[in-house]
Amino acid sequence: MKTADILEITKSSFLEPQEENELVNSFLQKLITIDYRARNTVIKQRKKDYQETPTTKKECEKEGANYNPEENHPDIHPMDVQMAVFHCADSFLKQLMVTKLSQCQYSLPLLVPDPFTQQIEFPLWTFRQINKSWKKKNTNNEIVSQTKPVYKAETPMVAFFGFGSVSSSKSQLINGLINEKHQTFFHRNCSGSSRTRLLMDGVVEIAWYCPSGKKTDSFDDCVAFCNLHGDAAANEKQYEILTSMASINVLFLPDFGQKNQYKGLVRSLFKSPQPLICLLTDSDCDETELGNGKFITGILKKNQSDISNQIREMIRAALTEQKMTFKLEDVAKHTGIRVDEEDLECQRGKEAAVQIMGLLRGKDPSTVKETNLPCQGKLWHDWCKINKELRHLEGENLEQDKSTKLKNMRDIREKQVAQGLSEFLSKFIETIKSQNKNEKTYFLRWMMNMLDDFTSEKLCGLHKEYAVKWHEVSTLKNMPDNLDQLETEQTNLENISNQINRTSFGLEHILREFGQIYESWSSAKEGLKFDFCSLSSLAAEMMISGFPMELMDGDAAHVPLTWVTAVLDELVKKLGDQKVFVLSVLGIQSSGKSTMLNAMFGLQFAVSAGRCTRGAFMQLVKVSEEMKTELKFDYILVVDTEGLRAPELAGKSTTSRDNEMATFVIGLGNMTLINIFGENPSEMQDILQIVVQAFMRMKKVKLTPSCMFVHQNVSDITAGEKNMEGRRRLQETLDEMTKLAAKEEDCDAEGFSDVIEFDVQNDVKYFAQLWEGSPPMAPPNPNYCENIQELKETILTHASKSDGVMMTHLRDRIQDLWEALLSEQFVFSFKNSLEIATYKKLETEYSKWTWSLRSAMLEIENKLHNKIENKAIHDVEQTDIQIEMNPKSEEVKKTMYDFFEKDRDAGILKKWKASFEIKFKELQENIVRETMKKLNGVLQQRHLKKKMDDQKTKHENTLFEKSKELALKFKDQSKDENVMKNEFDSFWKQQMAELSDTPAVKDIDILRDVKTLLSGINESLPLSHAQDSSEYNDMISLPSYSEYVQLKSKGLKDNLKQLYKGAKVLSEEDEVQIRALITDIAEQTDKMIQSYNIAKMGYNISYIQQLKDCIKVRLTEHEKEPKVKYVFKSEFFLHLVLFICHRANNTFQHQHQMFREANDPIFYSERKSQEYYRIFQKYCQGASSTAVFSALVCNKLIEPIQQNVYKKTARDLADEMRTNCESLNGNRSNLEKHILRTLAEEEDFDAYMTYIHNPREHFKNFIRDEVNQYITERFEDSVRPKMENSIKLLEQKITNAAQESTEQVKEINGDAYMWLLHFTLKLSDVLVFSVNDLTGVNHDDVEVSFLEEVIKKELPSIMSDIRSKFSTETFPVKLDYTDRPDELLIDHFCDCCWVQCPFCAAICTNTIEDHTGDHSVPFHRNDGINGWGYRGTTNISIDICTSAVASDGAFYPNNSDVSVPCKEYRTAGPEYASWSITPDLSELPYWKWFVCRFQEDLENLYENTYQGSGEIPDEWRKYSKDEAIESLDKYI
């Protein structure tokens, strides 16, 4: 049996045993909670698995005279249960078991015979963790305290044994001597005892009596009592050892009769020098002193209490004379017995520990820590101090101050590295790395013991000195006239406290040094000769083995984040990313927090009088597999903390530290136990104020931990009325503290229940006093143990409703909480990394869901579009689209549901579930609406261009008929290719000449039309400005718009400002506002241009007029807004119209070209000449009307097939790029990361400015470039195969349509027209091809039965011809603008939030436009990039938003004369209030590199300099481009 198995959380932990195989677990679980009733564990109610058992006297008689129910189901002796566990346990569980027995004030196994071999074992190892404390009077009659490990204590020992079978119980008599109220030794009259004892004969047990320094003490000094069970004569070795080491022997004999067979043994005892008390159990003789310390007395029929008093006095008298002492370790010197510490692994562990401790031999305990563990001393404390100061930057140049502090911190780290590894630590690491698991555990336990031995004497003296000094200080505090002396004594007290800190040296300090070595060495970049990474692995292994791990350094009051993160990462590697339930405990110092946790879970948190836990420690408790069905986690992580209001921390900003600690552990815990000790209302009030404030902070940052109050050391807890009164008083106090905290935290709360879900009836537990009587001999109170068990059950009930937290998330939560606490503005500074990461994951999934919807809708839209063009449908209802969409919609909803319900972060995701479901519904409705709008537009355009299409069809079919007539004339010359070609060319030339009279589609000149329209407004506009496309202002990227505006106000100050040529009229906020307006207008006009559908409807100058009018309206509306303090000059409007039209020129030209090719008779006919020639050839060669008709149908299919193939390929390609293209396979943030990487690689300043000032445009351009590059690079292996596949599928579909049409028409004896009707209808959802396309074509002679065959024959050559034209050049040209893959992806990625940070212009990364909640971005940048500068100077700002908001600086919003503190930036106006900018001291190499690389460009752009307050720190210039690019993966 191993300790780990016993400490697991199991169901059986809470059940009474009903079967024999449940006894062991029940015994151990009770023992762990220090419930001394564990030894009375019996089967109280057996399971009813023996229904046939006779229960009445009659039934017994039927069974026969020999029936005995006890023989059928005999009770197991309680001590057999204990000894069975002892024999089956490994050495570490034995040690835990014996330690807990000692805490229960029970006797402990000293000599144990093996039940099989009878070899005697001395389990010395099991005593190594037991300490005993007592008080006694010294030679000066002063009471002195002593605390010693029992294996070192030198005390008198009284040995009890008996010869033969005696009628009185030795154990019961010893109990009367030690503690009459407690059964220290189990005896025959104890509950559960039986005659079937199997494993106790020959066992020697030991217990110590410890005096309390009072007159009521039974003995004046600590005394050991040993009891040999069974007949001493039959257990000679044990008898021999006891008699040789005992100060006094106590012998039990029946009598001194002639038949007594033990006369020889008795005689030898009387001859020995040790005092002897011989008790005759079958005699009532009076006490007889035989001299030389030998006594005989009968105890038959005598009062038990009188006997105890009589023997106690004999022993006391004998001890005054007998100076012989007993030391536990000396038992090992006896031969013929086995000592457990002789095991090879234990020996190796001990030898290693002795060797390492040898390095400290002879040294002063108060100096060894400083010399052997140098990294955790002053250097670490200085680093912590600067790290806190880093959150309070000062001066004009915040980044310079920050760089200086960071450099100082790096210097300290370098000094720590320079210290190297001491010989002590080097040897320790080398040893622990070379050992197996058991050896390692032995070694660590030995080290703990030896370090305690090394420092105990010095610490004991310092604690006594501290206690005296503390008493003096307390006295002086009540004497107001002695303030100087008080100050002096407080300084002395502080010095003693520091000495205690310096002298304390335990395993936790070695682990702390591990942490500092790891943190300092991981910050060093080169020259490391030591594998420091292994330290975190070693610490993780220790945690898994059950050792506590320091979470917060109590001496430095700091969390070593890098180290803690590394250890948790190692835990994840070793255990997997397990779920944990974090249980924290808070309370006043010495209120029993650690004791409670140790009893509840069998942990090893430090427990001692005076100085207990410092900082915070964490320890893992495993949940058994059977309990994982009820609990949703794998481990409980218990966090124990230092006591609040610790007296030794007085004068060290105790309140601030307590608030920090409370906020940290409450934020960390899924549940926090608030431990209150005693019934002092003032003490309770102090801690409750701290706790309530911490919970209020959690509510404000949307963390929802639960809490329970544990009211310890409450007298008479059984009184129900008193409990009700206590709860009422606690509720009142909590509500009162809530009101006080609400004022301080600026929160609206009237009662505690407004802050946290709390049930005063169920979430308050009252605990009995820990001890049943007065220490040091008092056992634990059974009621306390019951309270522990009840609390544990309640905690697990609460925990079963919690999802816990993943270890990786816990790691992030620790960092978030600590970073926020360092800033001293917790609510303002808290950044929930777990929520951010989870939301980012949700956005990525949402991007996939929305793309699925869009992709499905594109298919539906294409199908319906084809049917409209084919006149197969004449109207579109929204319900029709929704019905088509439903299957995909339901599929995506199911995926959404699974994600929200089954994802490992489902507990966090649920807060967004409702809002995202609404957003998804809105998106679906918008997509349906947009599709409806587009299709209605197609319907409208179909009507408008009907005349145009009819004319085109008529013209085509006329050409067909004329070419047919000509062909019939030359039918006999069909074999002469040249003749046919010449005749056709002549005919075609004549037809084209006739078409020249038809109005052609003219070329367009957008810039000329713009000039024409603008000249009517402003005739002074230079002609060249409109003609030369290279000469226009990129309005979005202008550094300033001051020259384009004038202020509305006409006060003297404003007039003077405008008169001064160089004056900057606009504030930075105004500049951003105008730039945002231009961007918005550009987006609006882009949509307008797309809605014109020039490729289908042609160009009209009225479009330019509409654009111009739209721009004018937008500018006028903007000027009327109350917050706008300027009006635009006419030049602004003119330049903006030019800018918009210039940027749209290519779109106009491209779409117009597509319209011209499709609708200009000459252009269109020229493209068709080859098709007509082929038909001409067929007629000339005598082909049948059926063959020619089929060829004509196939020719008519060429364009629809091309259109279908290109559109489908575009959709498939967009789909593929969403999966395979790195930049496009995630959400918008991932896309931005690739944009920034590309910008850095290309180092194009103008491109950067477009990205900063017009991000949406830059995103669009980037997506277009990515798609073009993808098509170019992957055309042969990706694009062409898709097109080939589409062609193949279409060919099959057309062939099938021809076959099915033929079959159907034959059945009804239909003609070619009927066949054509069926054929086009079958293809109407995939191809724009209808019966109208063949209007006017004569098909009287066409034989339906041959159509299918001819089409099958003609189609492959048509398809081959289409294939031959596939290329990277034709791909984009053949597609309508809106059908291109880049535009499909732009629609998907750019439908999101584009609001920019008012300081640095970083783009909000939320993927939902008009989202709820604040705008945010993973990392901000230098606000000088956006044009900010220092007031009253020409210096560009180098401040970074996230540093500024943590500083004491201020800024001037909207160029006002009133400054706003950076920490209160939200009060500066709506554009600031909508942003969440949390303090962040991340390095941000990317934007620092950018500023250094483009310093000159930025200075030229903004006509200011990076000098004075804006001087760039030298540290910034150390970042390379590669480092900048690498950092993107970290921050995005």
Side-chain angles (χ1 to χ4, degrees), residues 692-694 696-697 699-701 737-750 755 825 827-828 1463-1464 1466-1467:
V692 169
Q693 199 163 341
M696 199 166 282
R697 289 171 169 182
K699 179 176 180 167
K700 290 182 82 172
V701 297
M737 293 301 105
T738 300
K739 289 175 186 173
L740 289 173
K743 290 178 185 175
E744 200 163 324
E745 292 291 328
D746 190 25
C747 182
D748 185 22
E750 291 296 318
V755 178
Q825 281 193 306
V827 175
F828 170 63
K1463 288 178 179 176
E1464 298 171 19
R1466 285 184 188 257
T1467 63

Side-chain angles (χ1 to χ4, degrees), residues 688-703:
L688 289 184
Q689 186 167 357
I690 293 167
V691 167
V692 169
Q693 199 163 341
F695 275 115
M696 199 166 282
R697 289 171 169 182
M698 294 309 113
K699 179 176 180 167
K700 290 182 82 172
V701 297
K702 297 178 183 158
L703 296 181

Side-chain angles (χ1 to χ4, degrees), residues 129 137 241 366 649 943 946 991 1144 1234 1312:
Q129 286 193 319
K137 290 183 180 178
I241 292 170
S366 63
L649 297 173
H943 175 71
K946 181 178 185 300
Q991 294 303 314
H1234 284 83

